[in-house]
Amino acid sequence: ITGTGTTDSTSSTVQIAVMSSSGDNSFAGDGYSGLLVAKSQYEASSFASSPISTSGASATRAADSLSIPIADTGYTGGPVTLVGEGTSTDQSNYRALLSLHLDNDNFISLYAHSAYNRRALFEADGVGGDLSGGAGAKAALSVDTNDVSLCVAGGTVTSDTSQTLPDLTGANAYIGNWNGTTTHINGHVKRVALYNEAL
């Protein structure tokens, strides 16, 4: 559950309270109903980020970082489809929505090239290519041997018919960045999906 609000100039505390239906925050309860609140987090920001584990101390961070071994997703290599929806306000560099990354010679990435333009980059044993898909918040990248296709916002499909499949054995899936350390999204990832077939 997330919520945002604007404090006035005299506010000094933020509270989570269980209140009665009449608005009484000293409600004693009924002896059996309850509310469990775990890992509450307050931020001075216009949006909520994912939880930061701090054991009660304050903390800051430059970016969220989310990754998972692709073996844990059920994908074991071969044809694959990446789908992503999100925004990046940073237009100075590629910003990855979803990447499957083993190393700099073997990866598949769906990028937000600028605020809404989408692009796909891919490499197999150091030989790669890229596809540009134009504007739109939603994009899908299908990768198979000699058949890589990118579609943005239901528009025209762009293709590369010469790319081989990368070896992604032991790779990680990175959400909102390319490899865990670079090309982070400066915005939001609304949803991503990985299908273990070329759709």
Side-chain angles (χ1 to χ4, degrees), residues 46-62:
S46 59
F47 60 90
S49 69
S50 58
I52 306 171
S53 183
T54 63
S55 300
S58 62
T60 59
R61 65 175 164 203

Side-chain angles (χ1 to χ4, degrees), residues 7-13:
T7 62
D8 60 32
S9 61
T10 61
S11 297
S12 60
T13 60

Side-chain angles (χ1 to χ4, degrees), residues 47-135:
F47 60 90
S49 69
S50 58
I52 306 171
S53 183
T54 63
S55 300
S58 62
T60 59
R61 65 175 164 203
D64 279 333
S65 184
L66 177 61
S67 66
I68 182 173
I70 62 170
D72 291 352
T73 69
Y75 173 64
T76 56
V80 66
T81 300
L82 308 181
V83 179
E85 180 179 1
T87 61
S88 181
T89 57
D90 187 336
Q91 300 183 29
S92 64
N93 202 345
Y94 297 126
R95 301 293 167 183
L97 283 170
L98 176 60
S99 296
L100 306 183
H101 190 277
L102 177 66
D103 54 35
N104 292 351
D105 291 330
N106 291 281
F107 63 85
I108 302 167
S109 295
L110 182 59
Y111 280 82
H113 181 58
S114 61
Y116 290 98
N117 291 332
R118 298 292 176 247
R119 188 174 200 93
L121 275 69
F122 34 86
E123 293 240 1
D125 295 325
V127 177
D130 68 286
L131 295 172
S132 181

Side-chain angles (χ1 to χ4, degrees), residues 18-194:
V18 177
M19 303 177 80
S20 69
S21 58
S22 63
D24 181 4
N25 66 357
S26 60
F27 178 55
D30 56 19
Y32 56 88
S33 297
L35 175 68
L36 175 62
V37 177
K39 296 189 178 187
S40 63
Q41 178 171 303
Y42 302 107
E43 298 178 85
S45 180
S46 59
F47 60 90
S49 69
S50 58
I52 306 171
S53 183
T54 63
S55 300
S58 62
T60 59
R61 65 175 164 203
D64 279 333
S65 184
L66 177 61
S67 66
I68 182 173
I70 62 170
D72 291 352
T73 69
Y75 173 64
T76 56
V80 66
T81 300
L82 308 181
V83 179
E85 180 179 1
T87 61
S88 181
T89 57
D90 187 336
Q91 300 183 29
S92 64
N93 202 345
Y94 297 126
R95 301 293 167 183
L97 283 170
L98 176 60
S99 296
L100 306 183
H101 190 277
L102 177 66
D103 54 35
N104 292 351
D105 291 330
N106 291 281
F107 63 85
I108 302 167
S109 295
L110 182 59
Y111 280 82
H113 181 58
S114 61
Y116 290 98
N117 291 332
R118 298 292 176 247
R119 188 174 200 93
L121 275 69
F122 34 86
E123 293 240 1
D125 295 325
V127 177
D130 68 286
L131 295 172
S132 181
K138 301 177 184 178
L141 172 64
S142 174
V143 181
D144 203 344
T145 300
N146 300 327
D147 185 9
V148 179
S149 301
L150 175 68
C151 183
V152 178
T156 302
V157 176
T158 56
S159 299
D160 180 328
T161 58
S162 62
Q163 182 66 35
T164 60
L165 281 167
D167 176 10
L168 296 173
T169 305
N172 287 319
Y174 293 95
I175 299 172
N177 66 88
W178 180 55
N179 63 357
T181 59
T182 60
T183 66
H184 287 83
I185 288 285
N186 184 11
H188 296 89
V189 177
K190 184 173 182 181
R191 68 173 51 93
V192 293
L194 185 154

